[in-house]
Amino acid sequence: MAWVDAHKRAGAAAWALTQRQHGVITRGQLRELGYSESAIDHRLAKGRLHRAHPGVYAVGTPDLGLSGKRMAAVLACGPGALLSHNTAAALWRIRNCPPSLLEISVPVPRQPRVSGVRVHRRRRLRACDATSRERIPVTSPALTLIDLATRLEAGPLEAAVNAADKLGLID
């Protein structure tokens, strides 16, 4: 009976975490909640978990919305990973960017290789550079604008700065 109660608690905790993370969970998180490797593999085989990236799974359905895809990419890139550049600008709603390629910043020396993700390695990510929006780790609006400044012409950059100001993201 105690095993059943522990199993139910682990299932409830996994479901709650999955809901907070837009439908995705990592193998490491499942292990921390008490799932064995064989239990995780069983759920993969039965179609309860679906591989989004190596070690990152969609729960219940393989079809993730945009927020789920963004969160899966951040989780796949590991601790300290943040949505950045155009992907962050789209999340902050300061620039319309197609979601085809997700951009993630990670601290050096991390070197994740994730399909469909452009990884930017940063020597320095300060606490003030990181935040979350819609429960997704993302670069701050100010750092996002700095990232955009390295690739946009003056007109589109000014439009992004104006949008951030209008939304009250910067002052």
Side-chain angles (χ1 to χ4, degrees):
M1 192 65 160
W3 179 85
V4 172
D5 290 339
H7 181 71
K8 285 181 181 179
R9 281 193 305 274
W15 182 245
L17 180 58
T18 299
Q19 289 180 311
R20 288 192 307 272
Q21 294 182 160
H22 303 283
V24 296
I25 195 164
T26 69
R27 181 174 283 269
Q29 290 169 332
L30 288 166
R31 294 287 293 138
E32 287 175 13
L33 292 171
Y35 286 84
S36 67
E37 291 294 328
S38 62
I40 296 167
D41 293 340
H42 173 77
R43 283 161 177 77
L44 280 163
K46 293 294 183 182
R48 294 183 196 142
L49 295 176
H50 306 271
R51 184 181 178 276
H53 293 291
V56 180
Y57 309 109
V59 177
T61 177
D63 300 322
L64 290 172
L66 184 56
S67 293
K69 290 176 184 177
R70 288 170 171 166
M71 180 61 91
V74 169
L75 291 172
C77 289
L82 304 167
L83 284 183
S84 65
H85 296 75
N86 282 325
T87 308
L91 183 62
W92 287 115
R93 295 180 181 89
I94 59 176
R95 185 165 160 73
N96 291 327
C97 302
S100 58
L101 179 70
L102 300 172
E103 293 185 90
I104 308 286
S105 286
V106 299
V108 168
R110 298 193 38 78
Q111 296 183 1
R113 299 203 185 284
V114 179
S115 178
V117 176
R118 176 179 290 154
V119 176
H120 302 274
R121 296 174 62 228
R122 295 187 185 257
R123 285 189 186 89
R124 201 171 91 180
L125 274 173
R126 301 169 303 172
C128 65
D129 294 331
T131 189
S132 67
R133 182 171 176 96
E134 299 173 14
R135 298 181 318 276
I136 301 171
V138 62
T139 52
S140 68
L143 183 56
T144 300
L145 289 169
I146 291 168
D147 290 339
L148 293 178
T150 65
R151 57 172 60 162
L152 294 179
E153 298 292 328
L157 179 59
E158 184 177 355
V161 170
N162 289 340
D165 185 39
K166 182 177 178 183
L167 292 167
L169 301 173
I170 59 169
D171 57 25

